[in-house]
Amino acid sequence: MTSVHTFEQVMSDREAPSELDAVLAAQELQSRFVSDNLRRIFLLIYRIVRNVDDAQDLTQEAFIKALQRQDQLKDIEKAAHWLSRIASNTAIDFLRRNGKVNFCDVDSLIEPLSEPSASPEQAVLRTEHRAYLDQGLTMLTDRERTALLLRDVEGLPADEVAEHMQCSKATVRSHIANARIKFKRYVERSRRTAGRRPS
C-alpha cells in the first residue's frame, strides 16, 4: 500500500512544474535549435573557410558559443540571426588566426529551406544549383567571398560587415562590387559554355 501511494505521489510530483521539467524543456529547446540551424550554419562557415573538416569543427564551436547564452534562445527568429553572426565571426577569426585572410544581388545564394514534399528531381536540381554557386564562390578572394556572403546572403548591413572584417565600409563596398562583377562574369561564361554543348 505504501509503495502504491509513493508511486502515485511521484506521478503527481512529475505533473507539477519542477526544476527537472525546466531542465528538460531547456534541453529540448537547445536540441531543436541545433537541428533547425545545423545545415545552414555549416554551409555558411564552409563557404567562408572552404574546408570541410575546418567547417565541421567551427560549426561545433559556434553552437557551443551560442548555447552558452541560453537566454538568447527564447526568440527563435532573433536567435537564428544572432547565431549567423557568431558563425561568421568564428569563421573569420579562424582565417585570421591561420593567416588565410589578407583582409575587407546574389539573393539566389540563400540556402533554400528543405521542403518535406520536395521530389527527388527537385533535390537533385537543388544540389546541382548549390554546386554551381559554390564553384562561382571559389573565383573570389577570401575577402570578397566573406563580404559577399555576409552582405548578400546573411543580410548584414555594410557597417556590420566592415566591423566583422575590421575594415572600412568603403573597402567592404569595393570587395562586394568586385565579387559581384566576378560572379556575373562566371555566370555569363557558364551560360556561354552550356550553349555550346550539343543537346
Side-chain angles (χ1 to χ4, degrees):
M1 191 73 165
T2 306
S3 61
V4 172
H5 175 73
T6 304
F7 177 75
E8 288 172 353
Q9 186 64 45
V10 168
M11 292 303 291
S12 174
D13 289 346
R14 284 181 61 189
E15 289 168 9
S18 69
E19 204 170 303
L20 178 60
D21 291 334
V23 170
L24 292 174
Q27 288 176 344
E28 172 67 25
L29 182 64
Q30 286 183 354
S31 177
R32 195 168 72 245
F33 179 70
V34 171
S35 62
D36 288 350
N37 291 283
L38 184 61
R39 187 167 178 271
R40 179 179 67 84
I41 292 302
F42 170 78
L43 284 171
L44 169 62
I45 291 176
Y46 171 74
R47 285 172 172 158
I48 294 173
V49 302
R50 310 304 298 171
N51 179 284
V52 172
D53 292 335
D54 291 336
Q56 288 173 337
D57 291 343
L58 294 168
T59 298
Q60 185 176 6
E61 185 180 330
F63 275 102
I64 288 170
K65 288 177 185 174
L67 294 175
Q68 287 171 345
R69 297 285 304 278
Q70 186 69 35
D71 56 313
Q72 295 282 349
L73 302 185
K74 289 173 185 171
D75 186 330
I76 295 297
E77 190 175 320
K78 285 182 183 175
H81 183 66
W82 170 69
L83 176 62
S84 296
R85 293 185 188 192
I86 290 176
S88 58
N89 281 342
T90 301
I92 292 168
D93 288 345
F94 169 80
L95 292 178
R96 283 199 188 106
R97 281 195 312 270
N98 290 276
K100 296 184 180 180
V101 178
N102 303 320
F103 312 123
C104 213
D105 172 92
V106 189
D107 291 335
S108 60
L109 281 177
I110 297 173
E111 188 62 28
L113 295 172
S114 58
E115 298 169 17
S117 59
S119 69
E121 293 82 6
Q122 288 171 319
V124 168
L125 286 174
R126 217 180 264 138
T127 300
E128 288 177 358
H129 183 64
R130 272 199 306 275
Y132 171 75
L133 295 173
D134 282 343
Q135 179 62 34
L137 289 173
T138 64
M139 309 291 172
L140 311 179
T141 67
D142 287 340
R143 291 174 69 79
E144 289 167 348
R145 185 170 56 248
T146 301
L148 185 72
L149 288 169
L150 293 179
R151 182 74 182 94
D152 286 359
V153 178
E154 290 303 308
L156 297 183
D159 56 340
E160 285 191 35
V161 177
E163 186 181 331
H164 283 305
M165 297 181 66
Q166 297 182 350
C167 60
S168 68
K169 281 204 291 187
T171 306
V172 166
R173 289 191 190 103
S174 172
H175 286 321
I176 291 171
N178 290 339
R180 286 173 176 164
I181 289 167
K182 288 181 182 179
F183 211 95
K184 185 178 177 185
R185 285 178 185 157
Y186 163 73
V187 170
E188 289 169 352
R189 205 164 46 241
S190 298
R191 283 178 180 159
R192 282 196 301 271
T193 303
R196 287 197 297 267
R197 287 177 191 153
S199 52

